Amino acid sequence: MKTYDIIISGAGPVGLFLACELALADCSVLILEKAEDPHSPLKQMPFGIRGLNAPSIEALDRRGLLDQLEVPKRVKNPFGHVGSAQAGHFAGIPFLYGDIDTAQWPHRLPSSTPTNMISEMAETEAVLTRRAQALGVEIRRGVGVTGVEQDDASVTVKAGYSSFQGLWLVGCDGARSVVRKEGGFEFAGTEPEFTGYTVKVDFANPELLNSGRNVTPRGMYFQTQPGYLAIQDFDGGAFHQRGEAVTLAHVQSVLRRISATDITISALHVATTWTDRARQATSYRNGRILLAGDAAHIHSPLGGQGLNLGLGDAMNLGWKLAATIRGDAPDGLLDSYEAERHPLGVRVLDWSRAQVAIMRPGPEASALHAIFRDLIKTRDGATYIAGRVWGITTNSVPNFEIDGVTVQALMRDGLGMLLDFDADPALRSWATSHAVKYVTGSVPDRLGYSALLVRPDGVIAWRDGDGDLAQAAAPWFNVARRAS
Ligand SMILES: Cc1cc2nc3c(=O)[nH]c(=O)nc-3n(C[C@H](O)[C@H](O)[C@H](O)COP(=O)(O)OP(=O)(O)OC[C@H]3O[C@@H](n4cnc5c(N)ncnc54)[C@H](O)[C@@H]3O)c2cc1C
């Protein structure tokens, strides 16, 4: 039996992105995907719309994938970009572009990629699949993982009567992850307060409903296009948990109650349910088995963070696991995946819980909702919310232009990089002794820095003025076994 470096369970966006990162670093990768067919109406517009935040956009651009996404170019961001236009929302409360103080983010240079954009799941997965295949990733569809076993040296993955062998296994198999259950992970968190519905319907009297997002005393309905709705019904998640079929009569009765109208549905075309159950694996690694994406954390889609969180996991894990397999990882590098990503998961789960808390029907939540509405209209309030929703962070390398080429374009090879704007020979020599690319050149705006060490995932490991380079680099880079 062939032993792969890594087996990934799940060819969703996170599994695919991770596979690309690993294959870019010369690892052999097998993806096992349960679904025979990658296509689904729920992955296509408008249901398949996913908001990408700044770190995801940067991650895609760093690997040359952003330009391959046509949907973000074609589809106007429904929130627009002018001052009075909606830039996003918190618990259904809009925040406006004109209220955001972007001067608080001076590291976002003119060459920065956008802070937010719309994408389509189907297209994102198609682009990632093409890249994975071009990099030599083997993808087997219609092969659902059913069991896992590990010893000190490898992992055996069962899929029905078939078995596959890998040095490592990463569960990217979504919210109901089999790898998480079979791999002995604890999944802790809070129970749902509502059942969410995604439906495509025809109405007999469509004029009774408003378009856009409507928070009512009984829940929320969001009509993106006529007949395309997301609905939030505070039933304690009971309907979703019963697992009953979503019928026309049921959707109509829920929608009538929430909208307080006599809306009549004449046809139901697509229906699926979800909840705000918020759970997170207490550990992201058990021996040779790791988790990423929805397999590691689930929460309500409010605020659109799940995909972004998962892509961030993949970006963080890929180069660390590859270095571990190559044998040139510093001690503890792989464990830094959980140390860095778990706290971010906690933040996102709490962000979604906070939104649910102020959307509950009832006077206490309405009172809080009103206070948030006032705060979000202030400059500081809008800037804070935008910073959280768009994932603005100062530990990601600014997109400097060096001799006319952006940092993100310089990172297509997936290597770490030492940027040295003053061409210091000592820094050049350090870079050549590590698996780190050395880059120098002229920079229009260096934001006050003369040198930065950047990890393959774009995170700044060291800046001049931060103390000793060797000490700061030690947790991330070892002396090179492969010359850069
Ligand atoms: C209505 C809605 C709106 C959303 N909006 C946003 C948004 O705007 N922004 C955002 O960031 N996020 C959003 N999300 C969340 C986002 O869609 C998920 O977080 C994201 O899809 C997670 O990606 P993933 O690859 O981890 O899991 P998935 O996309 O669930 O992929 C998992 C894959 O694993 C496969 N699989 C499952 N079981 C097995 C098995 N046993 N063996 C092998 N393969 C298996 C599945 O078939 C699937 O292909 C939204 C979610 C919903 C429901």
Side-chain angles (χ1 to χ4, degrees):
M1 194 186 333
K2 173 173 177 177
T3 301
Y4 295 86
D5 288 334
I6 303 106
I7 298 178
I8 294 175
S9 171
V14 175
L16 288 165
F17 194 79
L18 177 64
C20 293
E21 287 297 285
L22 290 162
L24 183 64
D26 296 330
C27 297
S28 62
V29 186
L30 168 68
I31 303 185
L32 301 175
E33 165 56 51
K34 185 166 78 172
E36 294 269 4
D37 181 0
H39 304 101
S40 153
L42 294 170
K43 292 182 186 173
Q44 287 157 10
M45 305 286 279
F47 296 128
I49 283 188
R50 296 290 182 270
L52 295 179
N53 68 11
S56 297
I57 295 166
E58 288 168 10
L60 291 166
D61 195 35
R62 251 182 244 124
R63 300 299 185 249
L65 295 166
L66 191 61
D67 280 348
Q68 295 179 36
L69 296 177
E70 294 301 323
V71 168
K73 294 174 204 155
R74 218 172 46 229
V75 178
K76 206 169 156 287
N77 188 330
F79 302 132
H81 276 101
V82 285
S84 62
Q86 183 177 336
H89 77 96
F90 178 81
I93 309 167
F95 58 94
L96 309 182
Y97 279 103
D99 290 336
I100 300 163
D101 180 11
T102 53
Q104 288 192 24
W105 309 323
H107 61 288
R108 293 196 54 79
L109 293 163
S111 48
S112 300
T113 38
T115 49
N116 61 322
M117 75 176 34
I118 294 300
S119 68
E120 184 203 46
M121 281 279 275
E123 185 188 49
T124 306
E125 288 188 1
V127 164
L128 290 170
T129 300
R130 274 201 303 276
R131 174 171 167 86
Q133 285 170 335
L135 287 166
V137 173
E138 194 179 327
I139 304 177
R140 295 203 191 188
R141 293 199 161 272
V143 184
V145 171
T146 50
V148 301
E149 278 168 20
Q150 62 170 319
D151 57 30
D152 288 347
S154 66
V155 187
T156 304
V157 180
K158 302 249 167 62
Y161 294 115
S162 306
S163 285
F164 303 88
Q165 189 95 21
L167 298 179
W168 296 86
L169 167 67
V170 188
C172 299
D173 44 354
R176 298 194 173 97
S177 170
V178 169
V179 172
R180 186 182 68 228
K181 289 171 198 152
E182 296 292 315
F185 291 85
E186 194 186 334
F187 203 42
T190 48
E191 288 305 301
E193 300 205 22
F194 65 75
T195 295
Y197 299 80
T198 297
V199 295
K200 180 185 174 205
V201 296
D202 294 335
F203 291 122
N205 45 2
E207 67 285 354
L208 293 187
L209 292 188
N210 298 322
S211 61
R213 194 179 302 272
N214 299 270
V215 178
T216 77
R218 290 155 296 278
M220 189 276 293
Y221 73 92
F222 183 26
Q223 187 164 213
T224 47
Q225 292 174 24
Y228 289 82
L229 285 99
I231 307 165
Q232 209 177 333
D233 181 20
F234 281 83
D235 66 347
F239 182 81
H240 177 86
Q241 281 166 331
R242 285 200 299 274
E244 288 171 23
V246 188
T247 62
L248 183 153
H250 177 74
V251 177
Q252 179 172 284
S253 96
V254 169
L255 197 49
R256 281 185 174 180
R257 179 160 38 81
I258 287 172
S259 64
T261 66
D262 283 330
I263 190 76
T264 298
I265 297 176
S266 52
L268 176 70
H269 301 290
V270 177
T272 183
T273 63
W274 33 275
T275 71
D276 59 318
R277 174 179 285 112
R279 284 183 181 252
Q280 189 179 14
T282 52
S283 170
Y284 284 12
R285 176 182 172 192
N286 179 7
R288 294 185 160 270
I289 306 175
L290 295 126
L291 300 177
D294 278 13
H297 37 69
I298 55 164
H299 57 87
S300 95
L302 284 175
Q305 308 255 336
L307 173 61
N308 292 305
L309 190 59
L311 292 176
D313 292 346
M315 196 79 188
N316 188 291
L317 176 59
W319 68 280
K320 294 176 178 175
L321 189 50
T324 305
I325 289 166
R326 274 199 311 271
D328 58 16
D331 284 349
L333 182 68
L334 191 55
D335 288 332
S336 74
Y337 165 60
E338 177 182 315
E340 292 189 330
R341 296 304 302 176
H342 192 277
L344 291 180
V346 170
R347 257 168 85 82
V348 169
L349 261 62
D350 280 349
W351 188 250
S352 75
R353 285 186 186 113
Q355 294 184 72
V356 175
I358 68 166
M359 292 177 94
R360 280 184 201 127
E364 294 87 355
S366 312
L368 274 170
H369 203 264
I371 291 171
F372 269 83
R373 272 202 305 276
D374 286 345
L375 290 175
I376 288 172
K377 281 189 209 138
T378 67
R379 202 156 180 73
D380 282 347
T383 308
Y384 172 80
I385 298 283
R388 293 281 305 257
V389 171
W390 296 343
I392 305 293
T393 136
T394 50
N395 72 354
S396 176
V397 59
N399 205 21
F400 296 109
E401 271 183 68
I402 303 160
D403 290 341
V405 184
T406 63
V407 159
Q408 281 161 209
L410 286 164
M411 296 195 73
R412 304 274 144 94
D413 54 15
L415 294 176
M417 189 163 63
L418 184 59
L419 300 177
D420 177 11
F421 305 143
D422 289 338
D424 178 343
L427 291 184
R428 181 188 288 269
S429 152
W430 183 90
T432 38
S433 65
H434 293 71
V436 168
K437 188 158 71 175
Y438 176 79
V439 177
T440 188
S442 114
V443 184
D445 185 353
R446 51 161 78 183
L447 293 170
Y449 298 114
S450 60
L452 296 96
L453 177 64
V454 184
R455 303 187 332 194
D457 56 0
V459 169
I460 299 171
W462 169 84
R463 309 164 231 239
D464 59 293
D466 269 3
D468 183 49
L469 166 63
Q471 204 178 346
W476 316 114
F477 299 102
N478 238 331
V479 174
R481 293 177 54 180
R482 180 178 70 178
S484 58

